[in-house]
Amino acid sequence: MKEHIFLAGLLSAFTVTTVAAFAEDSPTLAKIRQSGTISLGHMETSVPFSYYDQNQEVIGYSREIQLRIVESIKAKLGLDSLVVRNMPITSQNRIPLIQNGTVDIECSSTTHNLERAKQVAFSNSIFLIQTRLLTATDSGVTDFEDLKGKTVVTMAGTTSERLLRAMNQDRQMGMSVISAKDQGESFQTLETGRAIAYMSDDAVLAGQKARSRTPEKWQIVGKPQSKEVYGCLMRRDDPQFKKIADDVIAKLETSPEIDDLYKKWFETPVPPRGLNLGFPMSAGLKALYKSPNNTASDDLNKAGQ
């Protein structure tokens, strides 16, 4: 009996020591373990990825992936509970908030590109989109060339903003570009007639259309200007923390569960208005789910995939 007690105590001590050593090897895990709190970054209006429902709870496709990562972190650290602190972010402050430790991990609709990867780490990709336009069905806009001399809105600090400004300069289109703080403000600018079109990721545009009071009034048009992949943001130089996120994402994407998760957010009615985005899974996204990776958007477009 004494031997059994001794062995159980030894095993318990070994487990605690192993968990502590595991956490100490990762600055982020050590911080989470010491505080018992994890800080999650989220967008407020990025339907259906990360946004508020009618009860002001954070929901969405990316949010569900983020919470799976939280559960894995809790298990790795051997914690019975872990307090979640939600931190709303914007496209302009998300990287600084990751860098200064205010946010531990952000999962929403952030494009993984090489420039950002110099400042933060990206998880395995969680989604693949194309950049297009949202405009009224009677606007006369069917492609980017129709924007000459007109006002266009996009979200500040995004790939779409960079592409739009480069297009304006290179093609001398004479566009007036409005840079809004988030997706909600971008759509409001379009809806109130201050811009004739709104450039963003096609899945985000589908979400804003479904969220509007008159979804039948809007259409997604234009030749895609780029392919973009989304990933979760974390601090650089913390490979153990990144590995937890990567493993969770890879396991999910290669399991039958990913089809259910996709259908839930893109092919069935979503809160708060119960509208269906009607956004079928693309061939590119199917390929990503089959072979999870964290290839940057720049390399994806260079490869012509």
Side-chain angles (χ1 to χ4, degrees):
M1 182 60 129
K2 289 182 179 179
E3 289 180 356
H4 289 167
I5 294 173
F6 173 76
L7 288 173
L10 189 63
L11 181 60
S12 176
F14 174 76
T15 301
V16 171
T17 302
T18 301
V19 169
F22 178 80
E24 291 303 324
D25 286 341
S26 161
T28 310
L29 292 174
K31 170 178 171 286
I32 293 169
R33 184 170 183 268
Q34 183 176 14
S35 66
T37 302
I38 185 168
S39 180
L40 306 183
H42 67 88
M43 290 285 191
E44 297 179 282
T45 60
S46 188
V47 181
F49 296 97
S50 175
Y51 68 105
Y52 292 131
D53 66 9
Q54 61 272 22
N55 300 314
Q56 291 298 294
E57 295 290 334
V58 186
I59 60 172
Y61 168 88
S62 302
R63 175 66 169 188
E64 291 206 27
I65 294 174
Q66 189 177 44
L67 292 178
R68 285 172 180 258
I69 295 170
V70 171
E71 286 303 309
S72 183
I73 290 169
K74 188 167 71 172
K76 291 284 186 183
L77 292 177
L79 299 175
D80 293 328
S81 63
L82 185 58
V83 176
V84 170
R85 185 164 67 93
N86 293 314
M87 177 66 63
I89 53 95
T90 68
S91 58
Q92 293 170 304
N93 68 16
R94 56 192 167 192
I95 288 178
L97 290 176
I98 288 287
Q99 291 176 318
N100 66 24
T102 302
V103 170
D104 295 315
I105 183 167
E106 181 263 338
C107 300
S108 55
S109 51
T110 300
T111 295
H112 176 188
N113 60 40
L114 295 176
E115 181 181 352
R116 289 174 180 162
K118 294 176 183 177
Q119 305 171 73
V120 292
F122 280 89
S123 69
N124 277 339
S125 300
I126 60 174
F127 208 78
L128 183 146
I129 56 84
Q130 298 181 103
T131 49
R132 300 184 70 195
L133 295 169
L134 183 66
T135 188
T137 54
D138 60 356
S139 68
V141 173
T142 60
D143 210 340
F144 285 85
E145 290 302 317
D146 299 324
L147 300 177
K148 288 181 180 179
K150 299 193 169 61
T151 300
V152 190
V153 64
T154 189
M155 195 166 73
T158 61
T159 303
S160 289
E161 183 187 36
R162 176 175 56 80
L163 290 170
L164 201 57
R165 293 191 182 281
M167 182 190 305
N168 205 20
Q169 180 177 336
D170 296 344
R171 302 184 194 177
Q172 299 183 334
M173 295 177 68
M175 292 183 290
S176 176
V177 179
I178 297 175
S179 298
K181 71 171 185 178
D182 60 20
Q183 302 292 359
E185 185 177 285
S186 297
F187 182 72
Q188 186 179 46
T189 303
L190 173 67
E191 191 176 34
T192 55
R194 287 174 287 161
I196 197 168
Y198 165 25
M199 182 178 179
S200 190
D201 307 338
D202 54 5
V204 168
L205 295 178
Q208 293 300 318
K209 175 184 175 182
R211 196 183 184 205
S212 72
R213 292 186 292 270
T214 54
E216 70 280 356
K217 178 181 176 180
W218 309 103
Q219 61 179 344
I220 299 172
V221 300
K223 179 181 178 182
Q225 296 302 297
S226 67
K227 289 182 180 180
E228 311 289 334
V229 284
Y230 296 162
C232 296
L233 295 188
M234 297 155 284
R235 287 182 286 283
R236 283 175 58 85
D237 304 320
D238 195 339
Q240 282 197 304
F241 189 73
K242 173 176 158 54
K243 186 177 187 304
I244 293 175
D246 286 346
D247 288 349
V248 169
I249 293 166
K251 182 179 179 180
L252 172 63
E253 291 181 345
T254 54
S255 77
E257 290 182 79
I258 195 62
D259 291 326
D260 295 333
L261 184 64
Y262 186 91
K263 288 174 183 175
K264 175 180 177 179
W265 292 104
F266 297 93
E267 297 183 310
T268 55
V270 298
R273 295 176 56 81
L275 294 172
N276 191 334
L277 274 66
F279 195 78
M281 191 184 298
S282 67
L285 186 57
K286 289 178 182 178
L288 172 64
Y289 288 161
K290 187 176 181 180
S291 302
N293 64 81
N294 70 341
T295 302
S297 299
D298 316 62
D299 293 332
L300 186 69
N301 285 296
K302 283 178 186 176
Q305 296 180 21

